[in-house]
Amino acid sequence: MKIPRRPISLLAAAAAALIALPGTASADAAHRGRTYEIATQGSDRASGSARHPLRTIAHCAELAKPGDTCLVHRGTYREQVTPPSGTKDAPITFAAYGDGTVTVDGTDAVTGWKDAGGGLVSAHVALPLDPSENALFLDGGRTMEGRWPNSAPDPLNPTWAVAEKTSTDQHIDDPALPPGDFTGATVHIWAGSNPWSQQTGTVAATTAGALDFTGGNYRCPPLCMGSQTYRNYYLVGAKATLDQPGEWYYDKAAGTLYLVPPKGGMAGHTVTAKRRDWGLDLSASSYVTVRGLDLRGTSLRTGKDSTGVLVTALHARYVSEFSTLPMPADSDLSIPPGEGNIVDSRVLDSGVQLLGNGNELRDSEIGYSAGTGILVRGSGNTVTNTYVHDVGWMGSYTPGIEINGSGHTVTHNTVRRTGRGSIDVSWQLNGVPFHGNRIAYNDLSEAMRTSRDGSPFYVCCNLDATATSIDHNTVHDADGQVGYYIDNSSSQFLLHHNVAYNTGTRGTFFNGHSSVSLGNRDHHSSYGLGITTAAVRLSGATDATGTFVSNDVALTPLEISGPGSPAPVVRSNLLPPVDPRYADARNGELWLREGSPAIDAGETVDGVTTGVRGAAPDQGAYEYGAPVWSSGCSLPGCQSRVHNSGWKATTSDGADASAAVDGDQTTQWKAATAQTPGQYLTLDLGTPKSISRLALDAGLDATGHPYGFTVSTSSDGTHFGAPVARVGGRSFTQDAVFPQTTVRYLRIELTAPGDTPWAVNEIRLYADGPDAASTLQAEQATYTKGVVRGDAATGILGAGDSIGFRSVRFGTGADIMTVRLASAGCGRGCSLQLRLDSPHGQLAVTLPVKDTGGADTWQEQSVHLTHSVTGAHDVYLVAKGGHRVAAVDRLTFRP
């Protein structure tokens, strides 16, 4: 079928230009490189021209030779694509055409639904995946496999049942267990004194208020039921659990899929089921470029021999699904197993997988995985400027990014909302060497959602990290115990210029674990609020030779112990009770203010100390007077936390609950009585803020989280409307999600009774886009024209150059803009224009640029806006005047 000829898009034009560049021609002179087009209206018997496109990407892959390009028009492609290899000088390219979203979908439609009795419908279907790896989507949204107790759709807000203390390693007592036959169901367990991994078993028998199971509990104690702090579990994978719309169960033996239909029946509803694990399978491919494609219900992988693969602008959602945690085979491990392999369950068979050598994933978004977000394995691979979120909800050691091997570069990524770690390195998978890796400028937050013994950045165990650098990272707002955790005798880790706050008991922990901890170093790091006992700790080492901690700034002491010859070096650190004069500790802005005692108080550390201003290096992660570096990616979604500008919280009985909003996750407000419906907390944000998510964090408390609550809003603090969100169940950190709105007052009200008092460690708010009240770092601009972003500022903007930020939230108004910039020799007439919604949009103000005395001399310059800016806008700074107007470090807005 012919399709109309469309005007070529900017992306397609760019692709065509790349094809024509020198050096991209095939080494085979007889093949110059051809462009095929693919469209859902096409035919695989067609030529692949613009007028006669192909129908499938897979067929284009069959035709493609080195130097060829497959341009894919908008639409959904339910297929698996297995590209051939290109060559180093002539890669094969698969790219979105640029006329809309291109989705490679791993699911197929399920039809033929019939009444199955008992309020269920069923369809006969042969699902090819292992039953524990099935996934179902109702009207495009992931729907929950039948489970007890019922849970909300967000898998990182699971509802847990709590076993009685009389339970044992293979037996659960629970009077709340409903009647029914759960034999064969999976029991998911999060239990023990301080559980570091979750486990699954199989129900063998059920009786009234009790069940027996097999499997799980490989280490019992401490990872088992009984008289333990954590005794959480749920059941999944039994027909008897089906009791709410959208829940499903698959009987593989009978080939029958059961579903609780939506209210009103199946008419008008679409169901799809996962069928393909790898929508883009490059496991046998090299020198392939994948650009601008979406994945849904499937994933992408390269192979152990892949090289020269570039994946850019990938948007992957629901990449991995599973409901069991089997222990991997010994053959998958680099080292003989020491813990029954339980900690490495599903790490190697989930996530987007970048294996092999010299491959790159960049400028991408990876979201929603039961297991790993991104697996990096082999050598010399790169992951940069990528947003990873909502992964690892099964609670094993599957992190946002798993790094195995040597020579990798993992930089400028944002990893948020993970079941356990954000970035993880496993000894069983990696082997002892972990050489020459660079892990830098990453923002890691909201980790440890379904674990407690761990950290956002976690290393285990016995690793040799020679020539590896962990630098310029930020870890924060996590419910584990540590920010940077170098566990169980790992050595030669160099940490420097890192930031940690709200990470639990410690900022960084070098754990000797009754063995050695050699050559571990931490320099020029800054530790903020929410660290209770030690900013840096070394303990349990029989030999700590080479340990060196210097130039750190902290609000809590250091605890460095362990013999060595020479002994560990600890010096030139700024510690309590001295106030470091952080810019804004409540919001994690730990750079120094004027007059800080950390300025010029450090010592030079070879290979670490750089960019010194003044008489000597500064202590801490930021050099006063230099541009302030930032961590994380620059894509939409990478900046979302709402600035805490002195919020207030009060209880329903009028008591102060400031500990819930003080920016310190280790302080706690706890109610005086057990939970009862109608109890509430009221938040006053001071000024109206744009918000779309509220996170209610109970910290390490195993009992204080609510059994159910609503969120409502108000403009005056007295009259609250109908709830904008309802949250049920018992999860330790609970999220209420609602349409983005601008409000000043919030009320969190309990809807269910509980046996224990309500406890809140911290309430955090989020929304789409950065908050105008926070600091907008120029290097995180989502738009640039004519200027390059560095790690801490832009280059010099000339006339017509610009930078922009997407969806900046101004709330009810900003009146003053302050820009930190450097300028020299531009003269009169140089300025920075603030424009709204486009580089040519409404002019909000013009800031005349004053000469700062040098292109590397930074100064804040402010201007009153012509009119107060409200709501949410894309904002742009546009340079006017000479060819060297100014370099920009950051900008802020205030009333």
Side-chain angles (χ1 to χ4, degrees):
M1 177 179 179
K2 293 184 179 180
I3 64 170
R5 179 66 169 161
R6 297 185 181 94
I8 192 165
S9 70
L10 290 176
L11 181 58
L18 284 174
I19 295 166
L21 286 175
T24 61
S26 171
D28 179 359
H31 187 75
R32 296 179 177 275
R34 175 177 177 179
T35 297
Y36 296 92
E37 293 191 22
I38 304 101
T40 56
Q41 307 97 322
S43 168
D44 283 346
R45 294 188 296 273
S47 64
S49 67
R51 294 186 177 275
H52 303 284
L54 303 174
R55 170 64 184 85
T56 65
I57 310 171
H59 187 59
C60 190
E62 293 174 357
L63 299 175
K65 295 179 175 60
D68 286 352
T69 295
C70 297
L71 282 180
V72 191
H73 289 271
R74 65 184 179 184
T76 297
Y77 297 81
R78 300 183 186 277
E79 55 180 300
Q80 178 172 304
V81 182
T82 306
S85 292
T87 65
K88 184 176 182 179
D89 295 325
I92 297 173
T93 298
F94 295 81
Y97 183 88
D99 55 356
T101 301
V102 175
T103 302
V104 177
D105 197 317
T107 73
D108 290 337
V110 179
T111 58
W113 294 99
K114 299 179 180 179
D115 183 78
L120 305 178
V121 294
S122 66
H124 186 71
V125 59
L127 299 181
L129 304 178
D130 182 278
S132 69
E133 298 173 4
N134 288 319
L136 211 68
F137 298 84
L138 177 62
D139 297 331
R142 177 184 180 271
T143 189
M144 190 76 71
E145 187 175 7
R147 62 192 289 166
W148 181 86
N150 289 328
S151 192
D154 181 357
L156 280 168
N157 282 344
T159 297
W160 298 96
V162 180
E164 296 291 298
K165 292 184 178 181
T166 54
S167 304
T168 63
D169 60 334
Q170 303 279 272
H171 176 83
I172 289 175
D173 289 321
D174 184 0
L177 189 69
D181 183 8
F182 298 105
T183 302
T186 295
V187 55
H188 189 115
I189 303 160
W190 181 14
S193 57
N194 187 26
W196 57 77
S197 185
Q198 295 179 30
Q199 303 169 66
T200 59
T202 303
V203 176
T206 56
T207 58
L211 61 83
D212 295 314
F213 65 93
T214 59
N217 296 306
Y218 182 83
R219 294 280 299 267
C220 184
L223 301 180
C224 61
M225 298 294 185
S227 185
Q228 303 284 348
T229 304
Y230 298 89
R231 304 184 305 280
N232 307 294
Y233 77 100
Y234 63 78
L235 303 177
V236 67
K239 189 177 178 183
T241 62
L242 300 180
D243 63 354
Q244 66 176 357
E247 286 191 329
W248 58 273
Y249 165 72
Y250 182 57
D251 184 338
K252 187 174 180 67
T256 302
L257 180 63
Y258 293 92
L259 176 72
V260 182
K263 293 181 180 179
M266 294 298 296
H269 295 284
T270 300
V271 175
T272 61
K274 182 170 183 173
R275 288 181 174 271
R276 295 170 289 277
D277 282 328
W278 307 106
L280 292 172
D281 189 352
L282 289 84
S283 57
S285 306
S286 293
Y287 301 112
V288 172
T289 295
V290 176
R291 183 172 61 248
L293 303 185
D294 284 21
L295 295 177
R296 183 178 177 278
T298 190
S299 192
L300 175 151
R301 67 177 176 183
T302 61
K304 63 182 180 64
D305 296 320
S306 295
T307 188
V309 172
L310 170 63
V311 181
T312 181
L314 179 77
H315 293 84
R317 298 214 162 194
Y318 305 109
V319 295
S320 300
E321 185 84 33
F322 49 84
S323 59
T324 62
L325 294 171
M327 291 184 286
D330 290 359
S331 60
D332 286 338
L333 307 183
S334 298
I335 295 175
E339 295 192 356
N341 313 3
I342 188 65
V343 298
D344 292 310
S345 181
R346 301 285 188 176
V347 173
L348 295 179
D349 61 359
S350 63
V352 170
Q353 303 201 342
L354 200 66
L355 314 181
N357 308 286
N359 304 301
E360 183 172 3
L361 172 67
R362 63 180 305 121
D363 307 326
S364 297
E365 179 185 357
I366 314 298
Y368 306 104
S369 172
T372 305
I374 303 170
L375 172 64
V376 183
R377 203 173 194 205
S379 64
N381 296 312
T382 297
V383 178
T384 188
N385 196 41
T386 291
Y387 177 34
V388 183
H389 60 94
D390 295 276
V391 301
W393 62 65
M394 282 291 288
S396 65
Y397 272 44
T398 54
I401 304 176
E402 172 74 28
I403 307 172
N404 304 149
S406 297
H408 299 304
T409 300
V410 178
T411 59
H412 297 284
N413 304 292
T414 294
V415 185
R416 178 182 296 131
R417 295 190 89 236
T418 57
R420 200 174 187 277
S422 305
I423 292 180
D424 187 275
V425 179
S426 294
W427 72 301
Q428 290 97 330
L429 301 177
N430 185 58
V432 174
F434 185 67
H435 294 169
N437 294 294
R438 176 90 189 280
I439 303 171
Y441 295 100
N442 300 293
D443 183 82
L444 315 178
S445 70
E446 297 188 86
M448 308 300 294
R449 294 292 294 257
T450 57
S451 188
R452 288 298 178 263
D453 181 6
S455 61
F457 181 81
Y458 183 75
V459 170
C460 189
C461 309
N462 306 299
L463 280 165
D464 174 4
T466 298
T468 289
S469 180
I470 315 299
D471 62 272
H472 296 89
N473 301 286
T474 305
V475 298
H476 57 106
D477 303 331
D479 280 322
Q481 298 170 322
V482 186
Y484 305 88
Y485 198 166
I486 314 303
D487 202 3
N488 286 14
S489 310
S490 293
S491 296
Q492 308 303 328
F493 274 86
L494 170 62
L495 281 69
H496 68 90
H497 291 91
N498 293 305
V499 171
Y501 58 94
N502 284 333
T503 58
T505 55
R506 307 173 189 98
T508 294
F509 184 20
F510 300 111
N511 186 9
H513 205 262
S514 302
S515 185
V516 300
S517 180
L518 303 175
N520 290 313
R521 302 163 59 192
D522 183 46
H523 306 291
H524 284 290
S525 293
S526 295
Y527 299 96
L529 296 173
I531 299 171
T532 57
T533 61
V536 181
R537 182 181 183 189
L538 165 69
S539 67
T542 58
D543 187 353
T545 299
T547 294
F548 189 6
V549 178
S550 72
N551 290 345
D552 286 356
V553 178
L555 302 179
T556 46
L558 308 183
E559 295 179 356
I560 310 296
S561 62
S565 180
V569 176
V570 182
R571 68 186 184 212
S572 188
N573 300 292
L574 182 65
L575 302 173
V578 180
D579 179 4
R581 292 181 59 82
Y582 286 142
D584 185 356
R586 180 190 289 262
N587 290 289
E589 296 183 347
L590 305 188
W591 46 89
L592 306 174
R593 286 183 287 153
E594 184 178 2
S596 169
I599 297 172
D600 293 350
E603 63 180 19
T604 298
V605 180
D606 291 343
V608 170
T609 304
T610 59
V612 176
R613 307 287 181 107
D618 296 349
Q619 297 163 320
Y622 307 98
E623 181 76 7
Y624 183 76
V628 172
W629 59 267
S630 64
S631 56
C633 59
S634 61
L635 305 173
C638 295
Q639 301 175 66
S640 65
R641 187 170 169 180
V642 175
H643 192 267
N644 183 334
S645 51
W647 303 340
K648 297 179 182 178
T650 53
T651 67
S652 46
D653 58 7
D656 176 59
S658 58
V661 292
D662 61 359
D664 187 340
Q665 197 166 295
T666 60
T667 61
Q668 185 183 75
W669 165 82
K670 181 170 280 192
T673 60
Q675 297 178 39
T676 57
Q679 270 185 298
Y680 63 79
L681 288 176
T682 299
L683 272 63
D684 179 359
L685 308 182
T687 60
K689 299 277 190 178
S690 295
I691 58 175
S692 60
R693 176 165 67 96
L694 177 149
L696 192 66
D697 194 337
L700 299 180
D701 197 305
T703 61
H705 43 283
Y707 288 57
F709 65 91
T710 62
V711 177
S712 54
T713 66
S714 170
S715 59
D716 60 11
T718 302
H719 303 93
F720 287 82
V724 295
R726 296 180 181 273
V727 179
R730 300 190 63 227
S731 182
F732 295 91
T733 301
Q734 294 159 292
D735 291 80
V737 180
F738 39 86
Q740 189 150 308
T741 184
T742 300
V743 297
R744 174 171 173 175
Y745 298 93
L746 294 166
R747 178 161 290 173
I748 306 165
E749 183 170 338
L750 299 187
T751 57
D755 298 331
T756 58
W758 184 14
V760 180
N761 282 51
E762 195 65 23
I763 298 170
R764 299 184 298 271
L765 300 176
Y766 299 86
D768 181 36
D771 192 335
S774 63
T775 301
L776 303 182
Q777 301 286 153
E779 67 274 16
Q780 290 187 322
T782 53
Y783 168 90
T784 60
K785 177 188 175 185
V787 66
V788 176
R789 290 172 297 200
D791 290 326
T794 67
I796 297 177
L797 284 77
D801 296 342
S802 57
I803 63 172
F805 298 83
R806 175 185 173 272
S807 299
V808 178
R809 307 183 308 271
F810 289 90
T812 54
D815 301 296
I816 299 173
M817 178 180 73
T818 300
V819 182
R820 189 166 188 261
L821 55 84
S823 180
C826 187
R828 297 180 61 183
C830 287
S831 65
L832 293 173
Q833 294 182 343
L834 175 68
R835 292 188 175 270
L836 304 181
D837 302 319
S838 89
H840 307 288
Q842 178 186 350
L843 179 63
V845 75
T846 297
L847 171 69
V849 172
K850 301 174 184 177
D851 196 316
T852 64
D856 199 28
T857 301
W858 300 90
Q859 183 183 94
E860 289 190 345
Q861 299 183 12
S862 299
V863 64
H864 283 267
L865 304 183
T866 306
H867 300 287
S868 182
V869 178
T870 62
H873 296 274
D874 296 345
V875 299
Y876 297 85
L877 278 184
V878 182
K880 296 294 181 181
H883 66 283
R884 292 174 61 84
V885 175
V888 177
D889 175 20
R890 60 183 187 259
L891 64 154
T892 56
F893 298 90
R894 66 180 188 273

